[in-house]
Amino acid sequence: MDTHSEKETRRWVFPQLCDGLRELAHELTAPRHYLKLCGTDEALRSALPARWELQPANYFMTAVAVGPDPKPLPDGYRMELHRTGPVTRACVLAPDGGLAASGCAAETAEVFIYDRIETDPDHRRKGLGIAVMSALGAARTSLANRPLLVATADGRGLYANLGWTVLAPFAAATIPETER
């Protein structure tokens, strides 16, 4: 997937360790390209040349139902939704117009994937992340599509409180910017 974000240019996600992941790890030399694996850090490390750096541990999660319904946004905040094909982006704008929280979701024939759910540190603990999740969840066209996301260690607790459960560890690695 080409992401073209500030942190990541492109990512490859593998459901299990395979020869394709190993081959790609040896071919890639540019920073900001990520290899991601539904598996442990140890499993991913075993497939990578030394130039790759493991990222902090993550968790592949799912939920039976996504909830609860959000509370109203705090005074002065507003939600914007943008939809392009199967992808929806939710943005919460702060009273000063800056981006306070955001996230994306993409729907396929079988799954609804939440991605890059982030709240700016200056705007945390106001329910903005839950508001983003709720707005994205409302964009699902089929409730039969299984909701999925990858959570950081910090996010894991928040999502668990919202009814999400861990399916598997999720490992990620990239080539550091100083490497060439």
Side-chain angles (χ1 to χ4, degrees):
M1 173 188 301
D2 293 329
T3 58
H4 303 291
S5 73
E6 290 178 20
K7 299 175 189 173
E8 172 186 85
T9 301
R10 183 177 289 165
R11 76 173 85 148
W12 290 264
V13 180
F14 292 85
Q16 61 192 23
L17 199 55
C18 63
D19 290 338
L21 185 152
R22 289 182 190 90
E23 291 166 9
L24 194 56
H26 284 84
E27 291 172 13
L28 294 173
T29 59
R32 296 182 47 222
H33 288 82
Y34 282 74
L35 293 177
K36 299 185 177 193
L37 173 69
C38 286
T40 65
D41 287 349
E42 295 79 18
L44 182 57
R45 171 47 65 203
S46 75
L48 303 175
R51 68 178 172 269
W52 288 86
E53 182 177 275
L54 288 175
Q55 301 301 292
N58 291 295
Y59 304 90
F60 188 49
M61 300 182 78
T62 191
V64 173
V66 180
D69 290 332
K71 298 174 186 169
L73 289 172
D75 286 343
Y77 287 84
R78 65 185 170 89
M79 176 75 70
E80 288 187 356
L81 287 176
H82 308 277
R83 187 171 191 120
T84 306
V87 178
T88 302
R89 179 165 171 77
C91 299
V92 176
L93 300 178
D96 67 3
L99 185 63
S102 63
C104 296
E107 191 163 21
T108 70
E110 297 178 6
V111 296
F112 189 82
I113 303 169
Y114 294 81
D115 192 30
R116 295 191 216 166
I117 310 300
E118 298 180 75
T119 302
D120 182 274
D122 293 339
H123 300 279
R124 291 187 178 154
R125 316 239 21 109
K126 297 178 181 181
L128 303 181
I130 292 172
V132 166
M133 292 290 292
S134 180
L136 292 172
R140 284 171 67 188
T141 59
S142 172
L143 294 179
N145 291 344
R146 186 174 194 182
L148 299 170
L149 62 76
V150 173
T152 62
D154 287 341
R156 179 182 177 183
L158 168 71
Y159 295 120
N161 287 337
L162 297 175
W164 291 75
T165 58
V166 174
L167 290 172
F170 192 84
T174 189
I175 299 169
E177 288 282 346
T178 57
E179 182 72 37
R180 281 281 182 189

